[in-house]
Amino acid sequence: DDVLNTLHIHRQSCFIIGRESRVADIRTDHISCSKQHAVIQFKLKTKMDGAGNNVQKICPYIMDLESSNGTFLNKKKIESKRYYELLEKDMLNFGSSSRDYVLLAPEDDA
C-alpha cells in the first residue's frame, strides 16, 4: 500500500472529503465514495478541569454527509448527520476504500 503525504488539517476550519474535485479538499477517487462524502470540522469544546475552571479547546470532528456507502471511524460505521469527536490515532475509512486515514496530533501538542 502507498503512504500518502501528511495532510495538515488544522490549517482550515473544515475539510470536505469526497470525489468531486471542485468541492473536495481531500479527494477520494474510490468509486464507492460519494461526491461529497464526509466533512472534518473543527469545533470549540468546553469542559471543566479539576479546579472547576472552564477549559476551552478546539477539537476535530467527523460527520458523514449521508454518503451512499458510509464513513467508518475505527472500523465502525458512523451515523450520518452526526458529529463524532476525533482523537489522536483514530482511523477513518470512506465507502469500500481500503485506504486508512489516521489522525496524528501536531508535534507541538505531543
Side-chain angles (χ1 to χ4, degrees):
D1 289 325
D2 293 338
V3 175
L4 300 178
N5 292 334
T6 300
L7 302 171
H8 297 279
I9 62 170
H10 65 282
R11 294 181 179 163
Q12 287 179 214
S13 65
C14 70
F15 281 84
I16 300 287
I17 300 155
R19 284 192 352 254
E20 189 173 15
S21 61
R22 292 177 294 142
V23 177
D25 300 297
I26 301 172
R27 287 280 312 276
T28 56
D29 292 328
H30 197 273
I31 192 69
S32 69
C33 294
S34 298
K35 290 180 181 180
Q36 295 180 38
H37 195 97
V39 62
I40 294 175
Q41 174 77 54
F42 285 85
K43 296 172 53 176
L44 185 64
K45 179 179 177 181
T46 303
K47 67 178 185 176
M48 197 168 291
D49 66 11
N53 300 313
N54 282 333
V55 178
Q56 295 183 329
K57 182 177 180 182
I58 297 174
C59 300
Y61 290 78
I62 184 79
M63 181 194 300
D64 182 84
L65 299 175
E66 298 185 280
S67 65
S68 299
N69 295 300
T71 298
F72 298 83
L73 174 58
N74 299 322
K75 302 291 185 190
K76 294 180 185 168
K77 188 174 183 178
I78 64 171
E79 188 179 323
S80 291
K81 300 190 298 183
R82 181 176 163 215
Y83 282 109
Y84 292 81
E85 184 176 357
L86 295 174
L87 304 173
E88 184 174 13
K89 298 184 183 173
D90 274 349
M91 184 172 55
L92 295 169
N93 300 93
F94 305 101
S96 300
S97 174
S98 61
R99 180 164 284 160
D100 296 331
Y101 295 84
V102 179
L103 187 73
L104 303 174
E107 289 188 24
D108 57 323
D109 282 0

